[in-house]
């Protein structure tokens, strides 16, 4: 897998090809208008993972709004969390002859064939939010997104503060709600968290149970209920996103425990519902992952179309939040 920390500066054309799966949702209508000066309107094909969470909905809105503001013709597809739908959508964009393809990959592997098809047609590809593993670095131009490994590290470091504030002494039994199996944020957030845990807490922290909740509230609730059956003495929950954490809160309350007190909770994302739960004392800390990638993506699309060199990885700005910051931050939440 390409290292998120060692991306080089480059501008390379890339590729993908073909027809859209029937179960994927595509909006091929124009969201833009003709560019000034008689220039040809840029057509962008964008394939979204799905609509599994509040973060994803905010990300979709950001992309659509930014494309409209930029005057681009956006062709949008919802893959419904299925890689085969996403590959079909990318192939459809190639057949339609779009200027640039952008997508947020469902999982990290299995993209080489379709990206080679796009490269053969000289259609540049931009990754958003998530990275991919590929045998050829020239198959995509750049990644616009976050450092998920660092988010995992930050989650572990902020958990240290949460435990100190709660007055917790002794060993810490941790349950982990993982994101979608094979997805970059699930792999890298778990990796970053474990790095800090192994380096600084090998003797007192232990992940006693870990399972995917597919980044959904329903998944978080179901898996957390099972966790509590098998490990009723869990001290901490680390959820890879807010939505799974919110689902887990429902399961914790159904089990007669107090989320944020009996079980300390750290999540990732920073969507408004997560902040509301944090302001109510049910989530102890949140590591932000900014979903508002639309404006950055449109800037990159224009540069790529104009043949300009762009950075190999364009990072987003993020922050960390504790429970006592939640109420103050809520009025300014954009997502």
């Amino acid at each position: 897998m390409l290292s998120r920390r060692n991306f080089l500066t480059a501008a390379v054309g890339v590729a993908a090809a073909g027809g859209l799966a029937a179960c994927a949702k595509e909006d091929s209508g124009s969201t833009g208008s003709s560019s000034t000066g008689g220039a040809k309107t840029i057509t962008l094909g964008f394939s979204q993972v799905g609509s599994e969470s509040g973060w994803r909905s905010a990300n979709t809105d950001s992309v659509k709004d930014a494309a409209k503001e930029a005057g681009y013709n956006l062709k949008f597809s919802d893959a419904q969390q299925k890689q085969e739908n996403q590959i079909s959508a990318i192939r459809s964009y190639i057949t339609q002859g779009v200027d640039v393809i952008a997508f947020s990959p469902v999982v990290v592997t299995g993209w080489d064939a379709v990206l080679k098809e796009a490269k053969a047609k000289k259609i540049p590809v931009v990754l958003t939010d998530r990275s991919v593993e590929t045998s050829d670095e020239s198959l995509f131009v750049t990644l616009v997104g976050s450092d998920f490994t660092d988010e995992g590290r930050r989650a572990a470091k902020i958990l240290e503060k949460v435990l100190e504030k709660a007055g917790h002494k002794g060993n810490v039994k941790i349950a982990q709600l993982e994101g979608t199996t094979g997805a970059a944020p699930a792999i890298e957030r778990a990796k970053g968290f474990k790095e800090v845990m192994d380096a600084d807490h090998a003797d007192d922290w232990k992940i006693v149970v870990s399972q995917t909740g597919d980044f959904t509230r329903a998944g978080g609730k179901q898996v957390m209920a099972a966790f509590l059956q098998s490990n009723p003495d869990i001290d901490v929950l680390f959820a890879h996103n807010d939505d799974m954490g919110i689902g887990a809160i429902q399961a914790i309350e159904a089990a007669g425990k107090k989320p944020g007190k009996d079980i300390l909770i750290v999540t990732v994302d920073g969507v408004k519902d997560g902040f509301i739960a944090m302001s109510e004392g049910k989530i102890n800390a949140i590591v932000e992952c900014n979903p508002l990638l639309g404006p950055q993506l449109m800037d990159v699309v224009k540069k790529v179309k104009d043949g300009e060199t762009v950075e190999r990885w364009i990072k987003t700005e993020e922050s960390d939040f504790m429970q006592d910051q939640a109420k103050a931050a809520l009025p300014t939440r954009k997502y």
Side-chain angles (χ1 to χ4, degrees):
M1 181 175 178
L2 292 178
S3 171
R4 283 175 162 265
R5 303 185 65 84
N6 294 315
F7 279 126
L8 305 176
T9 300
V12 193
V14 283
L20 185 61
C23 54
K25 300 177 182 177
E26 181 178 7
D27 176 5
S28 59
S30 172
T31 62
S33 57
S34 296
S35 303
T36 59
K40 178 179 176 290
T41 300
I42 294 173
T43 297
L44 169 65
F46 182 80
S47 177
Q48 182 60 281
V49 171
S51 54
E52 76 285 357
S53 64
W55 191 100
R56 191 62 55 189
S57 297
N59 179 243
T60 293
D61 290 344
S62 178
V63 170
K64 289 183 175 180
D65 291 346
K68 184 176 181 180
E69 178 69 22
Y72 296 170
N73 177 23
L74 177 67
K75 295 180 179 294
F76 180 86
S77 174
D78 179 345
Q80 300 178 346
Q81 293 183 279
K82 295 180 180 179
Q83 185 179 29
E84 60 268 30
N85 290 350
Q86 202 158 44
I87 290 172
S88 294
I90 293 169
R91 286 185 168 138
S92 174
Y93 296 147
I94 295 170
T95 299
Q96 294 173 58
V98 301
D99 296 302
V100 179
I101 292 170
F103 74 109
S104 181
V106 175
V107 293
V108 297
T109 59
W111 302 104
D112 274 24
V114 71
L115 293 182
K116 286 176 181 177
E117 291 168 19
K119 184 176 182 179
K121 294 295 184 179
K122 302 188 185 322
I123 301 176
V125 174
V126 175
L127 304 180
T128 68
D129 175 36
R130 301 177 175 185
S131 62
V132 299
E133 289 181 359
T134 177
S135 61
D136 181 355
E137 292 188 12
S138 74
L139 294 180
F140 67 93
V141 177
T142 187
L143 165 67
V144 181
S146 304
D147 186 334
F148 298 136
T149 303
D150 191 55
E151 288 173 355
R153 296 187 193 105
R154 286 158 48 205
K157 298 305 289 185
I158 206 167
L159 175 57
E160 293 174 338
K161 297 178 181 179
V162 167
L163 289 165
E164 181 181 1
K165 187 174 180 180
H168 184 93
K169 306 293 183 182
N171 294 334
V172 181
K173 296 181 179 179
I174 302 170
Q176 180 174 231
L177 274 170
E178 305 168 25
T180 302
T181 302
I187 295 168
E188 294 170 22
R189 285 171 185 163
K191 176 185 175 183
F193 188 90
K194 193 171 186 301
E195 280 181 13
V196 174
M197 188 177 76
D198 289 348
D200 301 337
H201 299 283
D203 295 331
D204 58 333
W205 289 16
K206 183 179 180 181
I207 296 176
V208 295
V209 62
S210 185
Q211 186 176 322
T212 179
D214 284 325
F215 284 129
T216 67
R217 292 191 191 190
K221 181 179 180 180
Q222 180 180 358
V223 175
M224 189 67 198
F227 284 175
L228 291 169
Q229 287 289 325
S230 61
N231 294 272
D233 55 350
I234 292 167
D235 300 306
V236 168
L237 170 66
F238 170 43
H240 286 188
N241 78 342
D242 290 345
D243 279 79
M244 288 191 297
I246 291 168
I249 286 169
Q250 297 171 6
I252 292 167
E253 290 177 331
K257 294 178 179 286
K258 292 184 178 180
K261 292 185 179 179
D262 296 329
I263 298 177
L264 305 175
I265 300 176
V266 174
T267 66
V268 181
D269 271 357
V271 298
K272 191 166 185 177
D273 284 355
F275 268 75
I276 290 171
M278 191 162 58
S279 72
E280 295 171 344
K282 297 179 180 182
I283 290 177
N284 301 87
I286 295 177
V287 174
E288 182 184 29
C289 180
N290 195 323
L292 306 181
L293 307 180
Q296 288 174 293
L297 174 59
M298 300 313 146
D299 288 344
V300 169
V301 167
K302 185 177 187 305
K303 288 178 180 178
V304 169
K305 188 68 175 63
D306 291 344
E308 296 182 31
T309 297
V310 296
E311 295 178 11
R312 188 66 171 163
W313 182 16
I314 299 169
K315 299 182 184 181
T316 58
E317 295 294 327
E318 300 173 331
S319 302
D320 297 339
F321 298 89
M322 294 281 285
Q323 228 171 50
D324 51 6
Q325 297 172 288
K327 290 182 181 178
L330 258 176
T332 63
R333 279 288 89 185
K334 296 178 182 177
Y335 47 90

